[in-house]
Amino acid sequence: MRKKNLKLLMFLFVGYILFTLFLLAITLPKFLLFDKWLMSKGIYMIASNVHESLTYLSLKEASFYTKKSKLVRFDKLDLSVGIPYILLKGTCADGNLNVKMYLFGGIDIKAKNFKCFENFRIKSINLSINNGIEGTAELLDLKVRDTKVDNLSISFKGKTFDGQGLISGQRLTGSGTLILNREDILKSRLNGTIAGSGIRFVIYGSLDNPVLEIKK
């Protein structure tokens, strides 16, 4: 009898906790939660218009910054909660960027003709991130410190990647390795080399702050 009472008590306690969390989820402002999460990552947001519902947040003319510079802008950015994922859909001019973040791990990223990042343009991206990164990405007008990469195509194969780039009219090819940071994807670290026409570069650092240097 005592065991049954204990099980009933635990059931009621867990039910109360879940119900409380549900009430918090539907009553707390999604915009403020999203803004607070971004600030914990060192990113700041400005939007001209905000609309939210039970499982939906929509921003218009939204821009994102770090303390040093502007990162990206969206004409419209929608965030919605599904089961079991969070979906981000952004548009800018005639381009789009979609990110699906699964609650139990894993991220899918797809983009086409997205031109509103400050330091590069996306021609196409189709990536799946879990224990590694799988898929392809093609970027245009990428600025890496003092070097401009006119075109960069990368094929990710888990913990390695192959790529080719166009720098100052020179076609370069290369490969490298990737150390994935699941807590912050942009802090994942890469290390590789690209070469061609007697020129050899090394690329290293994090995805959000890569370094490209000439290797002598």
Side-chain angles (χ1 to χ4, degrees):
M1 188 69 176
R2 184 176 297 177
K3 288 183 178 180
K4 290 184 178 180
N5 290 336
L6 181 60
K7 288 182 178 179
L8 178 60
L9 182 62
M10 290 299 297
F11 176 78
L12 292 174
F13 176 74
V14 172
Y16 172 76
I17 295 297
L18 292 176
F19 182 68
T20 302
L21 291 175
F22 174 74
L23 288 178
L24 287 173
I26 65 175
T27 56
L28 287 175
K30 280 71 176 177
F31 176 79
L32 295 180
L33 290 175
F34 184 48
D35 189 43
K36 186 175 181 179
W37 179 77
L38 287 173
M39 287 193 293
S40 72
K41 304 293 184 181
I43 300 174
Y44 304 90
M45 171 178 59
I46 297 175
S48 66
N49 184 273
V50 179
H51 175 74
E52 61 180 74
S53 63
L54 181 62
T55 60
Y56 188 81
L57 173 65
S58 181
L59 310 175
K60 290 185 178 180
E61 297 179 5
S63 297
F64 297 81
Y65 303 81
T66 65
K67 289 183 178 180
K68 295 182 179 180
S69 62
K70 184 177 180 180
L71 293 175
V72 61
R73 70 174 180 86
F74 294 91
D75 294 334
K76 186 179 181 183
L77 179 64
D78 296 331
L79 292 92
S80 58
V81 178
I83 299 177
Y85 60 83
I86 297 173
L87 179 62
L88 180 152
K89 298 177 68 174
T91 59
C92 183
D94 59 347
N96 61 81
L97 171 65
N98 297 333
V99 180
K100 181 180 284 189
M101 298 175 285
Y102 295 92
L103 300 181
F104 300 105
I107 301 174
D108 292 336
I109 304 174
K110 294 184 179 181
K112 187 174 182 180
N113 297 328
F114 192 84
K115 305 173 183 178
C116 297
F117 281 96
E118 285 297 296
N119 292 323
F120 62 91
R121 295 187 291 125
I122 297 174
K123 185 174 182 179
S124 66
I125 285 180
N126 189 353
L127 297 175
S128 179
I129 302 171
N130 204 328
N131 294 323
I133 301 179
E134 302 279 352
T136 60
E138 185 173 1
L139 308 179
L140 304 174
D141 301 328
L142 175 66
K143 298 175 184 176
V144 183
R145 298 291 175 91
D146 297 326
T147 304
K148 181 183 177 183
V149 182
D150 301 310
N151 179 283
L152 179 65
S153 299
I154 305 176
S155 176
F156 291 96
K157 304 173 181 179
K159 297 182 180 179
T160 64
F161 63 88
D162 298 325
Q164 60 177 354
L166 185 65
I167 302 176
S168 300
Q170 302 294 323
R171 179 68 62 180
L172 309 175
T173 60
S175 61
T177 59
L178 179 74
I179 300 175
L180 185 66
N181 185 334
R182 290 181 60 84
E183 294 183 0
D184 190 339
I185 298 299
L186 293 179
K187 297 301 180 184
S188 300
R189 303 193 67 81
L190 52 83
N191 194 326
T193 60
I194 55 175
S197 302
I199 304 174
R200 183 167 178 252
F201 289 89
V202 293
I203 183 169
Y204 61 92
S206 58
L207 292 179
D208 64 346
N209 190 27
V211 178
L212 187 67
E213 293 181 349
I214 295 178
K215 186 71 173 180
K216 296 181 180 180

